[in-house]
Amino acid sequence: MPVRPPLPPFTEESATAKVQAAEDAWNSRDPERVALAYTEDSVWRNRDRFLTGRAEIREFLAEKWERERDYRLRKELWAYTGNRISVRFEYEWHDDAGQWWRSHGNEQWEFDDNGLMRRREASINDVPIAESERRLHRPTP
């Protein structure tokens, strides 16, 4: 079975590292890379969608990043205990019509002993913004 450090039980340092690793992976917008952080039978609630398993997660992410153009995310550790981490996040993106959005939310994560996420609960709200109101920009390569 794959191991994905840092492993639970989390400290402030290891929980912060886990959150940063998730932010980095999600900002890659690579569904395969991101999906590898979850157990094969991981259970998700993302807004009003309920997903089970790495294959569904991969498909969901591919669809998400097709729809959410120029996606850029920031995550912040909110709390941690044992094998659980709570995160506050916001991300910005635009739709095909050019409307920019800022999406705010909270996630609760639960990990297995190998550091793979077996459960993710995400509550997310979207706010339309003008492009001039953007706060999150991709770093220049």
Side-chain angles (χ1 to χ4, degrees), residues 38-141:
Y38 302 93
T39 62
E40 287 289 345
D41 60 350
S42 186
V43 175
W44 274 31
R45 180 183 61 78
N46 192 89
R47 300 175 190 256
D48 61 349
R49 298 263 317 261
F50 295 84
L51 309 169
T52 302
R54 197 179 282 167
E56 282 187 28
I57 291 167
R58 189 179 304 109
E59 182 179 325
F60 169 83
L61 293 171
E63 292 170 4
K64 171 185 180 62
W65 290 319
E66 267 299 310
R67 191 177 57 255
E68 296 178 359
R69 306 290 183 163
D70 293 319
Y71 175 96
R72 183 68 178 150
L73 165 74
R74 291 276 190 253
K75 289 184 182 283
E76 176 187 359
L77 176 65
W78 192 259
Y80 65 92
T81 183
N83 69 339
R84 293 180 175 174
I85 294 176
S86 179
V87 175
R88 172 209 163 285
F89 65 87
E90 68 179 29
Y91 61 91
E92 295 174 344
W93 56 282
H94 68 84
D95 58 26
D96 286 338
Q99 173 63 57
W100 279 92
W101 300 89
R102 183 172 299 125
S103 301
H104 301 267
N106 300 291
E107 294 174 306
Q108 283 63 248
W109 301 341
E110 182 179 84
F111 295 87
D112 70 7
D113 292 340
N114 290 325
L116 295 172
M117 195 181 301
R118 67 178 164 211
R119 184 173 173 191
R120 175 182 175 264
E121 300 275 337
S123 296
I124 307 167
N125 297 12
D126 301 313
V127 177
I129 61 172
E131 185 172 4
S132 62
E133 295 176 293
R134 291 183 59 209
R135 298 191 292 235
L136 307 177
H137 300 276
R138 284 198 141 325
T140 309

Side-chain angles (χ1 to χ4, degrees), residues 28-41:
S28 76
R29 295 180 281 174
D30 178 346
E32 185 62 38
R33 175 182 173 189
V34 174
L36 291 174
Y38 302 93
T39 62
E40 287 289 345
D41 60 350

